[in-house]
Amino acid sequence: MSDLPESRPAAAHRGPRARVVLWIVVALVLLLIFAVAWVGARGLLAKHHLEQSVALVSTLRTQITGADTTAAQRTAKQLEDHAASARSLTGDPIWGAAQSTPFFGTNLRAVRDVAVVVDDVATGAVRPTAGVLGDLNQEAFRPDNGRIDLQPLADAQPAVARATKTLSEAVDAADDIDTTSTLSPVTSAVNQLRNALATVARQASTANKVVQLAPVMLGHDGNRSYVLLFQNNAELRAGGGIPGAVALLQAKDGAISLGNQAAGSSFGPYDKPVLPLSAATTSLYGDITGRYMQDVNLTPRFDVTGALAREMWKQKFGQQVDGVLAIDPVTLGYILRATGPVQLPTGDTLTSDNAAKLLLSDVYAKYPDPAVQDAFFASAASAVFEKVSSGGFDTKAFIAALTDGTKDGRLRLWSADEAEQKQIAGTAVAGTLPTASARTREFGVYLNDGTAAKMDYYLDKKVSVGSSVCRKDGRPTSVVEVTLKNTAPADAATSLPSYVTGGGYFGTEPGKIKTLVAVYAPPGSIYLEASQDGKGAALQTVTDGEHPVAQIQTLLEPGQSTTFRVAFLGEAKFAKAGVQAESTPGVRQTKVEPLQFDCAEPVPVG
């Protein structure tokens, strides 16, 4: 009993201390509940603002495409407000502290990073470009009295350059967001952001180059002149079609006019190439690449084509031009959607529906004389050009026509100015060889006519490409499949003009189509094997610069088809990259299809 009095003070002492601890625990629990509620509520609000931002981006794109600049500027301001709100809601100290918690912290950090990226794009890309939309719209590209006002383009250069830089940085920031342990909805949102930014950044980069280059190349700072190649897809060249007609394009402060015109056949033949050719170009395409204007685009390298065409023009006319452009009849057909029909001096009416057929097929039956054919091509191009230069076209349809032509690989541009050419390089009009990156590995399928006639109007082409990791070292195997078919009538030898069939004068029986097919792989690839119609293929393998090339010759009778497969080994660091292929644009350009193959036998040989 003597110990009892001593125990009471100890219990009394522990009681208040326990209550203090209890209150501290309760306070911490309440604080945690408050923090969770705070973060949850702000997270829901941030989610709403981010979703609104995504919706407004879609609206903004539609408004810009429709040239509704007033609405686009209003939408841009709304987008900026929503993006700023999302960033603010995810940027307070409580949210910052919550980012350090296990599991949920990673998700909160990713949401915060998304909000920051979206806000940076809104303020650094959307805001500056929205400010120039009022002056830089589709109608700004319509010529007035034959002249395009270049000042709005020049004024827009700083804003578009800033937007491009911001988007490039945003792509890097989005790629750096850690999603290794995030919830599926968060991971999905981040991936959508990455894909959207990658697409918009590429488009912005192209737009920036257009805005930077267009004024100077259209004569804003001094007169410019260009050689214009009209490529005929009925006789294929790797870069498009044989340059049947050639003209001088002159630009003076936005006013564009056509000067001298000549048949491609009137240049050369020169005793030797007008400029030195690489060993690979000579091996694959022969020295005729540099001796005939009609062969300058046997190579798919348009920078080589441009330099050769420029030199040939100089040797014939004594004039040093600033660059070279190429266009084909299919693109003229696209442009006729915007201009409407044009009347030709021959009495023919050229429309978007008949342009390809009239210029690439019917002309040879109507006008057997090659000189008249060349004049017909030149007059058709001049008539369309005159309609465009006068402003007689639908602006939206015209831009769509140029976009479609570029997408098909039918429009090419090269500048003799090194700084300008660096800007052009890597764009869709540059005509450069395939590249490889962490996102995409590109292949090239280039066709050259070997018939020396106009039979390629009847040549159908199908290209497929696929890739799979078939080796333990992680290096991907890629397979490109090319199917060609001669769709000419069975009696082509007698029913088609001899100018179209070649008449057998160049070693190919009338009605048959001879084609050289060159498949280019990206740098760092290794040629593995090839087959034709399930059998071993006799082909040429060479390296064009850093690009492995496999080239095969085909000969097809009317109705006959053939399939050529070639496999390359890629670098392990690009194993997860997607694959795609570009190909020479013929009369009909088909979409490249995905290809599945068996790793055990990627190119079956029977």
Side-chain angles (χ1 to χ4, degrees):
M1 297 297 293
S2 60
D3 293 334
L4 185 60
E6 295 179 4
S7 65
R8 287 175 181 170
H13 181 69
R14 285 196 300 270
R17 180 181 300 172
R19 284 194 294 272
V20 170
V21 172
L22 177 62
W23 280 114
I24 291 174
V25 171
V26 170
L28 288 174
V29 170
L30 289 174
L31 183 61
L32 179 61
I33 292 172
F34 172 76
V36 171
W38 177 270
V39 171
R42 292 174 73 87
L44 287 174
L45 289 172
K47 177 177 178 291
H48 167 74
H49 287 296
L50 288 172
E51 288 174 342
Q52 288 297 307
S53 298
V54 172
L56 288 170
V57 167
S58 178
T59 301
L60 184 62
R61 183 181 303 166
T62 301
Q63 290 167 342
I64 292 174
T65 303
D68 190 350
T69 55
T70 301
Q73 289 171 334
R74 185 167 57 249
T75 301
K77 180 63 171 65
Q78 294 172 352
L79 171 61
E80 186 179 345
D81 291 344
H82 280 292
S85 296
R87 183 169 189 161
S88 175
L89 286 164
T90 59
D92 66 281
I94 296 178
W95 188 287
Q99 290 180 173
S100 301
T101 61
F103 182 67
F104 289 109
T106 303
N107 292 277
L108 296 176
R109 193 178 306 112
V111 172
R112 166 63 180 173
D113 290 342
V114 168
V116 170
V117 170
V118 172
D119 186 46
D120 286 344
V121 170
T123 56
V126 177
R127 181 196 292 172
T129 52
V132 300
L133 284 177
D135 295 323
L136 191 62
N137 55 46
Q138 291 178 345
E139 291 305 310
F141 295 94
R142 182 191 296 275
D144 183 11
N145 293 322
R147 178 181 174 273
I148 300 172
D149 184 5
L150 300 175
Q151 196 57 46
L153 280 171
D155 292 342
Q157 289 175 345
V160 177
R162 179 187 170 189
T164 302
K165 183 174 184 293
T166 296
L167 285 166
S168 176
E169 292 171 347
V171 168
D172 293 338
D175 286 343
D176 288 340
I177 297 176
D178 182 10
T179 58
T180 53
S181 58
T182 52
L183 294 170
S184 178
V186 175
T187 304
S188 177
V190 172
N191 288 335
Q192 289 178 26
L193 177 67
R194 287 169 175 164
N195 292 334
L197 283 174
T199 299
V200 174
R202 285 194 299 269
Q203 294 171 341
S205 178
T206 299
N208 182 48
K209 290 178 180 180
V210 170
V211 169
Q212 304 297 327
L213 287 173
V216 66
M217 296 192 76
L218 291 175
H220 186 262
D221 301 325
N223 297 349
R224 288 296 188 98
S225 60
Y226 304 92
V227 168
L228 184 58
L229 304 178
F230 296 104
Q231 301 190 114
N232 187 331
N233 315 91
E235 186 173 345
L236 288 175
R237 296 290 183 266
I242 186 172
V246 185
L248 180 70
L249 186 76
Q250 297 169 305
K252 181 179 181 181
D253 195 23
I256 306 171
S257 60
L258 282 180
N260 285 343
Q261 297 187 43
S265 58
S266 67
F267 293 80
Y270 302 94
D271 293 334
K272 61 180 183 179
V274 295
L275 293 174
L277 301 176
S278 69
T281 298
T282 302
S283 175
L284 284 163
Y285 312 114
D287 71 351
I288 58 174
T289 308
R291 295 177 53 232
Y292 293 84
M293 179 67 84
Q294 294 166 305
D295 293 326
V296 293
N297 54 352
L298 283 170
T299 171
R301 294 176 178 264
F302 195 70
D303 57 338
V304 174
T305 297
L308 291 170
R310 178 177 186 249
E311 181 62 24
M312 290 182 186
W313 185 273
K314 178 185 177 183
Q315 292 197 20
K316 183 175 179 65
F317 293 108
Q319 181 182 14
Q320 190 78 286
V321 298
D322 298 296
V324 176
L325 297 93
I327 192 171
D328 67 6
V330 178
T331 305
L332 288 183
Y334 295 162
I335 293 173
L336 285 164
R337 298 174 190 167
T339 65
V342 297
Q343 198 73 24
L344 304 184
T346 57
D348 296 284
T349 300
L350 198 62
T351 72
S352 60
D353 293 328
N354 73 4
K357 187 172 185 297
L358 180 58
L359 294 170
L360 298 174
S361 178
D362 294 351
V363 62
Y364 302 113
K366 294 186 69 172
Y367 308 107
D369 185 347
V372 176
Q373 295 164 7
D374 291 336
F376 183 82
F377 295 138
S379 68
S382 296
V384 175
F385 178 83
E386 184 177 343
K387 193 78 174 285
V388 171
S389 62
S390 68
F393 59 89
D394 176 271
T395 311
K396 185 176 180 180
F398 180 70
I399 293 176
L402 296 183
T403 301
D404 289 344
T406 301
K407 192 186 306 179
D408 286 353
R410 302 181 186 280
L411 288 172
R412 291 286 183 252
L413 172 64
W414 171 80
S415 174
D417 182 281
E418 289 187 11
E420 292 176 3
Q421 183 57 25
K422 284 182 180 179
Q423 286 273 66
I424 295 169
T427 66
V429 297
T432 50
L433 296 182
T435 60
S437 69
R439 294 184 182 275
T440 308
R441 283 178 292 129
E442 301 171 338
F443 294 82
V445 177
Y446 306 113
L447 277 57
N448 277 304
D449 172 72
T451 315
K454 301 297 184 289
M455 285 295 294
D456 288 329
Y457 181 81
Y458 301 98
L459 185 67
D460 272 359
K461 171 194 63 183
K462 177 184 176 183
V463 177
S464 303
V465 60
S467 182
S468 184
V469 176
C470 302
R471 296 161 47 111
K472 292 181 179 180
D473 61 7
R475 301 188 67 171
T477 298
S478 299
V479 176
V480 179
E481 181 179 277
V482 186
T483 299
L484 301 179
K485 183 176 182 179
N486 182 346
T487 66
D491 62 350
T494 55
S495 65
L496 297 178
S498 61
Y499 189 80
V500 173
T501 65
Y505 298 119
F506 301 98
T508 302
E509 293 180 36
K512 293 183 179 181
I513 301 177
K514 182 185 292 183
T515 310
L516 288 169
V517 184
V519 178
Y520 278 63
S525 303
I526 299 173
Y527 166 77
L528 292 177
E529 55 184 337
S531 68
Q532 184 177 10
D533 298 327
K535 301 177 182 179
L539 50 80
Q540 176 188 13
T541 57
V542 68
T543 300
D544 189 350
E546 298 179 301
H547 298 264
V549 184
Q551 181 168 255
I552 190 172
Q553 180 176 285
T554 65
L555 182 64
L556 301 174
E557 298 178 355
Q560 185 181 8
S561 65
T562 187
T563 297
F564 170 49
R565 269 197 176 195
V566 57
F568 295 95
L569 187 65
E571 296 181 272
K573 62 181 179 180
F574 298 137
K576 294 183 179 180
V579 289
Q580 63 184 36
E582 66 172 25
S583 63
T584 298
V587 178
R588 296 162 294 279
Q589 186 73 328
T590 56
K591 182 181 178 181
V592 175
E593 300 291 341
L595 177 69
Q596 302 292 329
F597 61 87
D598 184 352
C599 277
E601 201 174 11
V603 286
V605 292

